[in-house]
Amino acid sequence: MHGPATAGWLVVALCAAAGTYCLLRLRGAPGAGRGTAGGEALMGFGMAAMAVPAAVVTPPRWIWLLYAAVFGVAALRTLGPARRSSHHLHHLVGMLAMVYMSVAMALLPGAAHAGHGAQGTGDAGGTPLATGVLLIYYAGFVLWTGARLLPLQTVTVTASDSRAGPELAGTVLADTALPDTGRTTGPVAGTVTEAAPVVVPDVGAPEDRPEMALACRLSMGIAMLAMLLTL
């Protein structure tokens, strides 16, 4: 795509890391999960290959057409599951976005089209309407996915809770300091709530954790935004 080489390498690293993680998920995923992880790995490595700066490699036109064919087939395979699941529908949008960007690169005039845009020619790939719709979609996806990763839920246990055992709340005696004189009074009864012991569940291998998969999708969404902005 267009843009400085440093930004291109950052997108390459981000997408390659996401694709590698998705490959690791294939190891322990069930039947349906393997297809999801495989599709996300294809997206990650495909985006990494697309984002390589043009100064390093200049792929010919047929490479972009090959990308379009591969992701077109992947999009066709996702049509069925996309009717039943919003997650697969997101995969379908991603595959179609890859087809769109590949065709846009292949149709750029002259030798400058090959390898990420017509740098220095003033030409832009794709159409403003399609690019704008995809930008809005992925911006919303990034915000929504990022919000899901935030720890928003807290649980408070009080002494009046019938489920709270003696280990969570109790009555103690403590010396109370007077704020104005610093003197202390006698023992005053009070109630304190102790922190409940933290139980760490067995979540299995790192590649099986759902928050890691969500972070992987967030990374690819951010990378897709960057690629669309430089199309």
Side-chain angles (χ1 to χ4, degrees):
M1 305 293 129
H2 295 87
T6 303
W9 284 121
L10 287 175
V11 173
V12 170
L14 188 65
C15 294
T20 302
Y21 172 76
C22 293
L23 283 182
L24 292 176
R25 286 170 52 206
L26 280 171
R27 182 172 58 182
R34 289 177 64 87
T36 299
E40 291 176 347
L42 176 64
M43 282 284 297
F45 288 119
M47 292 168 64
M50 269 186 155
V52 174
V56 177
V57 59
T58 304
R61 186 186 300 267
W62 66 266
I63 289 291
W64 297 109
L65 296 177
L66 179 62
Y67 285 160
V70 169
F71 286 104
V73 172
L76 290 176
R77 290 173 57 89
T78 313
L79 278 176
R83 299 174 182 174
R84 303 183 298 270
S85 168
S86 59
H87 180 61
H88 286 92
L89 181 60
H90 171 71
H91 281 182
L92 177 61
V93 173
M95 298 298 179
L96 293 177
M98 294 295 286
V99 172
Y100 167 70
M101 290 190 294
S102 300
V103 173
M105 291 297 101
L107 294 181
L108 282 175
H113 82 280
H116 327 275
Q119 298 177 352
T121 65
D123 294 327
T127 61
L129 177 60
T131 303
V133 169
L134 288 172
L135 281 172
I136 292 172
Y137 173 81
Y138 276 100
F141 174 79
V142 166
L143 292 175
W144 177 74
T145 307
R148 291 180 63 190
L149 286 172
L150 296 177
L152 298 178
Q153 184 177 7
T154 58
V155 178
T156 303
V157 179
T158 62
S160 60
D161 193 340
S162 60
R163 294 171 297 176
E167 70 279 1
L168 295 182
T171 302
V172 298
L173 297 178
D175 284 340
T176 304
L178 296 176
D180 54 341
T181 63
R183 295 175 298 172
T184 60
T185 65
V188 178
T191 301
V192 297
T193 302
E194 299 179 357
V198 178
V199 179
V200 179
D202 183 11
V203 295
E207 60 267 20
D208 298 331
R209 299 176 63 177
E211 67 271 18
M212 291 293 292
L214 201 61
C216 173
R217 293 165 191 147
L218 175 62
S219 300
M220 288 196 289
I222 294 173
M224 183 68 79
L225 264 179
M227 295 174 69
L228 287 167
L229 285 171
T230 58
L231 184 62

